[in-house]
Amino acid sequence: MKNTLTGKIRTAAAGLGIAGLLLAGQISAVSVSADAGAAFRTLDEIKESGTVNIGVFSDKSPFGYVDEYGEYQGYDVYFANRIGEDLGVEINYVSTEAANRIEYLQTGKVDIILANFTVTEERAEEVDFALPYMNVALGVVSPEDAVIESLDDIGPDDQVIVISGTTAETYLVKNNPEIKLQKYDAYAEAKTAFENGNGVAWANDNTEVIAFSIENEGYVVGIPSLGSQDTIAPAVTKGNESLLNWLNDEIRSLGEEEFFHRDYEETLLDTYGKDYEDTLVVEGGAAPEAAA
Amino acid sequence: MDPGVIKSYLPLYRDALLLTLRIGWQGVLLAFIIGFLCVTAIRFKVPVVRVIVKGYIELFRNTPLLVQLFFLYFALPKIGIRLSPEFCGSLGLGLLGGAYMAETFRSGLDNIPVIQQESAESLGMNRLQAFRYVILPQAVASSVPGFLANTIFLLKETSVFSTISLMDLMFTAKDLIGMYAKTIECLTLLVVFYLIMLLPVSILGSFVERRLRHAEYGD
């Protein structure tokens, strides 16, 4: 019996060894592909293949969602459709979650991410952002009978709902590490959990929490703007210059026809009304006064 | 690979490992208890209960854990039953595992020829004694590989806990990747930590198996 036990340990050690070898192999494989830089498709390759892969949300109404007929809809998707049209290719929509947007670009699973992707310094180290097409800040929504109007209203035992991989999460982890976060990996789940009363508040992009409070009775956006004003932009794999340049040209030329205002009126007007149009929309890559 | 990054993530992974282990073992223990109770009800043909148990086994063996967790965590509050994420995790694992453990255990029992029960009874044991001293030890012994496989299966199923906001190993890795995009480091740590959790189970399990199946293996 002693023999068999040592035998088993030996097998386990071999298992660890194999895992180690695999990991080592993985690491060298990664450095090889980083040298080759072949993780993305250039503009010509996309046009040649006849399909562009665009990563969008499937559960974040009204920006990117799947409607009752199974069609992708929303502010981001309206733009994506136009990109497909102007590239002259079919669009293959790939549903993404907040936390895997960078991954999908880095592994070449999508050519463009158009999933309401906020531009941040950390993310800009991993992917290349094109010109922005929307403004955003963070917001916090809470039930109207216990409104959170400042982060100080959050008690030491209270939990705030966030979605993993969003700027709200990163902001709170960095600036308010004392706040307990309840993390979910998809919008739909965070929403349901918040409706079920699992957290005292939900922190997310302010566009999203405003939409939630408009669509659901009994909730108030107590903190409409938290942190810095940011922008939302399409992202491509780091180094994919041909596609990046094309996107920037596209956004500039769409500005001439007021495309994003039309996009707003088609997709966001029902939710936000006319009031938010000039706050949210970024036309032609940058509004002159917001350029600083 | 950045050693500094790995070092800074280690405490988070350690916390996740502890959480995964805590919920995992509660779930496995619950699974054993449920499984044993179910098999007893089937074996002794307890009326009504036996039918319920069979229904339970089919229901939980044929639905994914993810769906069960969704139901426990997101649907029950709608009818006023509010459970903590950790409790949902343990309960979900226990209910799923209970169905698997019951089936494994039942097949172990079915392996023992009926003639043994009859022989024991002819030697003067009553039904319970025959079950306790003759059938059960053999059935447990031959079920051990199945139990072990189920245990490892259940511990690995913890990887869907992110759905109910539990920071298990998988979610910790995904969350860190989402925030800082250090993919290689995060995934490497993930593999290593799953091995740290499961290799001892595997080794210990084989050891227990040898001990319990003494009759088949000899010394």
Side-chain angles (χ1 to χ4, degrees):
Chain A
M1 199 205 69
K2 224 180 256 166
N3 286 336
T4 58
L5 185 59
T6 47
K8 184 67 193 176
I9 291 171
R10 209 175 293 143
T11 318
L16 268 179
I18 290 170
L21 281 177
L22 283 175
L23 290 174
Q26 180 195 7
I27 293 151
S28 57
V30 164
S31 49
V32 166
S33 75
D35 292 343
F40 58 81
R41 302 193 302 162
T42 61
L43 183 62
D44 290 341
E45 284 166 347
I46 293 168
K47 282 183 172 167
E48 221 166 273
S49 78
T51 333
V52 61
N53 300 316
I54 302 185
V56 293
F57 282 125
S58 57
D59 58 356
K60 195 187 179 192
S61 166
F63 299 98
Y65 63 99
V66 177
D67 69 9
E68 64 266 43
Y69 305 108
E71 300 283 334
Y72 280 92
Q73 298 290 355
Y75 185 79
D76 294 343
V77 175
Y78 192 88
F79 179 30
N81 282 335
R82 180 62 186 261
I83 289 175
E85 219 173 272
D86 291 345
L87 275 173
V89 296
E90 297 278 308
I91 302 170
N92 172 33
Y93 283 114
V94 180
S95 165
T96 63
E97 284 172 3
N100 61 23
R101 288 177 293 192
I102 292 176
E103 291 304 280
Y104 273 29
L105 285 174
Q106 287 182 336
T107 51
K109 288 191 173 60
V110 299
D111 301 306
I112 305 169
I113 282 283
L114 262 182
N116 233 253
F117 208 15
T118 305
V119 181
T120 67
E121 268 175 49
E122 292 91 346
R123 287 171 179 170
E125 283 174 19
E126 309 291 335
V127 301
D128 282 340
F129 284 104
L131 293 170
Y133 62 96
M134 202 178 115
N135 284 316
V136 74
L138 302 178
V140 179
V141 62
S142 40
E144 62 185 359
D145 48 11
V147 183
I148 303 285
E149 282 176 335
S150 127
L151 292 181
D152 300 330
D153 295 347
I154 298 165
D157 293 323
D158 292 342
Q159 293 197 325
V160 174
I161 292 174
V162 293
I163 295 160
S164 174
T166 57
T167 41
E169 180 194 24
T170 319
Y171 178 86
L172 290 174
V173 167
K174 204 196 236 172
N175 297 297
N176 301 83
E178 74 285 356
I179 295 178
K180 281 195 188 137
L181 300 179
Q182 194 180 111
K183 300 177 182 182
Y184 290 90
D185 56 5
Y187 278 86
E189 288 149 25
K191 263 183 195 169
T192 315
F194 183 53
E195 284 167 2
N196 284 348
N198 289 347
V200 294
W202 178 19
N204 205 352
D205 290 356
N206 60 359
T207 47
E208 182 62 17
V209 293
I210 290 167
F212 180 86
S213 72
I214 292 172
E215 283 162 6
N216 297 275
E217 286 266 313
Y219 295 97
V220 182
V221 179
I223 308 177
S225 185
L226 182 69
S228 58
Q229 188 75 34
D230 289 320
T231 54
I232 280 173
V236 299
T237 314
K238 192 106 200 143
N240 193 353
E241 267 175 48
S242 58
L243 185 58
L244 186 69
N245 291 337
W246 185 88
L247 275 172
N248 285 338
D249 291 343
E250 171 83 355
I251 290 170
R252 279 190 212 104
S253 74
L254 288 177
E256 285 158 27
E257 50 174 281
E258 301 259 289
F259 173 83
F260 289 104
H261 282 83
R262 206 163 64 238
D263 187 349
Y264 182 97
E265 278 148 30
E266 291 279 326
T267 59
L268 301 184
L269 196 63
D270 285 348
T271 309
Y272 297 107
K274 214 55 185 139
D275 295 352
Y276 288 97
E277 181 158 348
D278 290 326
T279 334
L280 288 184
V281 172
V282 177
E283 199 70 77
E289 62 273 12
Chain B
M1 290 279 266
D2 181 346
V5 168
I6 290 189
K7 212 175 154 204
S8 68
Y9 289 172
L10 276 178
L12 289 170
Y13 275 86
R14 189 200 54 217
D15 290 350
L17 177 71
L18 292 177
L19 178 94
T20 309
L21 272 180
R22 189 166 68 242
I23 300 176
W25 283 112
Q26 284 167 0
V28 168
L29 188 68
L30 187 63
F32 270 110
I33 295 170
I34 294 176
F36 188 77
L37 290 177
C38 287
V39 162
T40 315
I42 295 176
R43 177 82 183 177
F44 291 99
K45 302 196 169 67
V46 184
V48 188
V49 179
R50 183 167 156 242
V51 180
I52 297 174
V53 161
K54 289 212 159 143
Y56 153 77
I57 290 176
E58 291 311 319
L59 179 65
F60 279 85
R61 267 187 8 136
N62 295 306
T63 49
L65 179 61
L66 191 60
V67 173
Q68 296 163 14
L69 290 178
F70 253 90
F71 190 83
L72 290 173
Y73 190 67
F74 291 111
L76 287 186
K78 304 278 185 206
I79 54 166
I81 302 171
R82 188 171 294 278
L83 307 170
S84 77
E86 287 208 17
F87 189 80
C88 282
S90 304
L91 185 63
L93 271 190
L95 288 171
L96 173 77
Y100 275 87
M101 293 296 184
E103 280 299 283
T104 304
F105 199 20
R106 191 184 57 76
S107 77
L109 283 172
D110 287 351
N111 264 340
I112 316 299
V114 186
I115 197 166
Q116 294 213 19
Q117 175 88 26
E118 292 165 353
S119 310
E121 283 178 39
S122 76
L123 287 171
M125 292 186 185
N126 65 26
R127 239 179 107 208
L128 263 179
Q129 283 172 328
F131 182 69
R132 162 72 186 81
Y133 295 105
V134 179
I135 308 295
L136 196 61
Q138 300 183 73
V140 168
S142 75
S143 304
V144 166
F147 288 152
L148 183 60
N150 288 348
T151 303
I152 292 176
F153 157 74
L154 288 175
L155 289 174
K156 287 195 290 195
E157 280 293 289
T158 56
S159 57
V160 303
F161 279 175
S162 62
T163 301
I164 56 170
S165 81
L166 285 172
M167 294 305 288
D168 74 300
L169 283 171
M170 186 70 207
F171 196 17
T172 300
K174 278 204 295 192
D175 192 43
L176 286 171
I177 291 172
M179 281 198 282
Y180 309 114
K182 301 283 178 236
T183 312
I184 301 295
E185 288 84 353
C186 286
L187 292 183
T188 306
L189 279 171
L190 183 62
V191 174
V192 170
F193 270 79
Y194 267 112
L195 286 176
I196 291 176
M197 176 167 76
L198 290 169
L199 276 181
V201 177
S202 184
I203 294 171
L204 192 75
S206 306
F207 176 71
V208 171
E209 186 183 337
R210 296 272 160 182
R211 290 297 293 245
L212 284 178
R213 300 177 76 181
H214 190 71
E216 289 157 70
Y217 288 123
D219 278 319

